[in-house]
Amino acid sequence: MEQKNAMNTSPRPAATAAKAEAQSSGGASLFSILVIILAYVVSLLVYKFVFGDPSHFQGGNNANNPVSGDYLGIVYKGGPVVPVLMSMLLMVITFSIERMLTIGKAKGSKSIESFVRTVRQKLNANDINGALAACDQQKGSVANVVKAGLLKYNEMSRETNMGTDQRVLAIQKEIEESTALELPMLEKNLVIISTLASIATLTGLLGTVFGMINAFAALAQAGSPDAVALANGISEALINTALGIGTSALAIVAYNYFTSKIDELTYSIDEAGFSIIQTFASQHGNNANAGQPVRTV
């Protein structure tokens, strides 16, 4: 019964946490939809009016071969799959910039390693107010979680009706709930980047297939093959392959980079949370199990 009461001492109700996460998810979904739509519209306009401008083609007609050395005209010859691949490339770039800004803000104003080290030093000196001041100065997701844990630390240090184990569990519960609120913000849109990494190559291969169909159709014509149609088909195949592979490679690099950064932040949260729980258990222990800290997940 005491354990149940300890788990319910958090000042942040579960319903509030769920509501905040739902609102955040809704905002992220709207942003993602707008980015996808705008990326395709911009790509289509650029493909049609920039790459497809008659000045890039022989005789001023975009049905002809591109002018020698004109890469814009060459890309235009990639066919209708090109604007789709271009929109995917724009989405990868846009979401990567958005994640870079968000994760950079989540890290706070100073080095994460320096912040965690400062918090541990303050805790070892039993200077909770100093640790809270360091959180206010650092800001960001890691500092928010650590501050929530420290506030619960102060609350539990004044609690006299609960055993040490229950108070330690209450602090751990607070850190876990705060982490659960912060991590979704860090992981937003990563699923889109990972999806683009997979489908960009497949879309490029689809464009390649269309290009090869056109190339072999030119070869299948009666009499001598149409050299222009054959060249256009091969060009369409190669351009789509290049765009698909390039977009997929960029998305894979971005996804792995941001995942590693989020792992670093999560580890820092775990390290700081472990220090908070360990310090509380050692300084407020009153039984044989008090000195055994419970590490956060």
Side-chain angles (χ1 to χ4, degrees):
M1 189 67 180
E2 286 184 350
Q3 183 173 351
K4 183 177 180 181
N5 292 336
M7 302 298 278
N8 291 333
T9 55
S10 173
R12 182 185 295 107
T16 303
K19 182 178 179 181
E21 184 174 349
Q23 291 176 347
S24 177
S25 177
S29 299
L30 179 60
F31 172 77
S32 302
I33 292 173
L34 290 176
V35 169
I36 292 172
I37 293 175
L38 289 176
Y40 181 73
V41 171
V42 170
S43 299
L44 189 61
L45 293 176
V46 170
Y47 174 79
K48 189 173 183 65
F49 297 106
V50 178
F51 294 169
D53 189 271
S55 62
H56 301 304
F57 301 91
Q58 297 176 1
N61 185 355
N62 57 19
N64 297 331
N65 285 334
V67 175
S68 179
D70 193 320
Y71 290 102
L72 297 182
I74 294 174
V75 172
Y76 179 81
K77 285 300 180 180
V81 180
V82 168
V84 177
L85 291 169
M86 288 173 57
S87 66
M88 291 182 180
L89 180 59
L90 282 178
M91 281 185 272
V92 171
I93 294 173
T94 302
F95 288 124
S96 296
I97 294 174
E98 185 267 340
R99 284 296 86 198
M100 188 176 298
L101 294 175
T102 300
I103 293 177
K105 183 178 179 181
K107 290 175 64 177
S109 58
K110 296 181 180 179
S111 168
I112 289 293
E113 292 79 8
S114 176
F115 167 68
V116 173
R117 185 166 54 251
T118 299
V119 171
R120 296 184 69 175
Q121 291 173 352
K122 298 294 185 182
L123 287 173
N124 291 334
N126 199 26
D127 184 8
I128 304 301
N129 291 331
L132 287 170
C135 293
D136 292 334
Q137 185 179 8
Q138 175 72 13
K139 301 180 181 179
S141 296
V142 177
N144 291 340
V145 174
V146 174
K147 183 176 181 180
L150 291 173
L151 291 174
K152 178 60 68 173
Y153 182 109
N154 270 340
E155 180 184 340
M156 290 296 103
S157 65
R158 296 188 298 268
E159 177 63 51
T160 59
N161 297 325
M162 296 167 54
T164 301
D165 289 342
Q166 283 69 42
R167 290 185 288 171
V168 167
L169 286 173
I171 297 174
Q172 180 184 11
K173 174 74 171 180
E174 179 67 18
I175 293 174
E176 289 176 349
E177 287 185 355
S178 300
T179 303
L181 287 175
E182 296 291 343
L183 283 184
M185 180 191 70
L186 300 177
E187 296 173 348
K188 286 176 187 174
N189 301 325
L190 282 184
V191 65
I192 297 179
I193 295 178
S194 64
T195 302
L196 290 172
S198 301
I199 66 174
T201 303
L202 297 177
T203 305
L205 290 176
L206 181 63
T208 301
V209 171
F210 289 157
M212 295 307 297
I213 290 174
N214 293 334
F216 282 105
L219 287 175
Q221 290 181 356
S224 60
D226 186 343
V228 174
L230 179 61
N232 286 341
I234 296 176
S235 176
E236 180 177 350
L238 297 179
I239 289 170
N240 283 286
T241 302
L243 282 175
I245 294 175
T247 301
S248 179
L250 180 61
I252 291 173
V253 171
Y255 179 81
N256 290 335
Y257 174 78
F258 294 126
T259 300
S260 66
K261 290 299 181 182
I262 292 174
D263 289 342
E264 290 179 8
L265 295 178
T266 304
Y267 177 79
S268 298
I269 291 174
D270 288 342
E271 185 178 4
F274 176 72
S275 297
I276 294 172
I277 294 172
Q278 184 182 45
T279 301
F280 184 90
S282 62
Q283 294 183 358
H284 298 81
N286 55 15
N287 55 49
N289 295 327
Q292 297 180 3
V294 182
R295 185 164 188 175
T296 57
V297 179

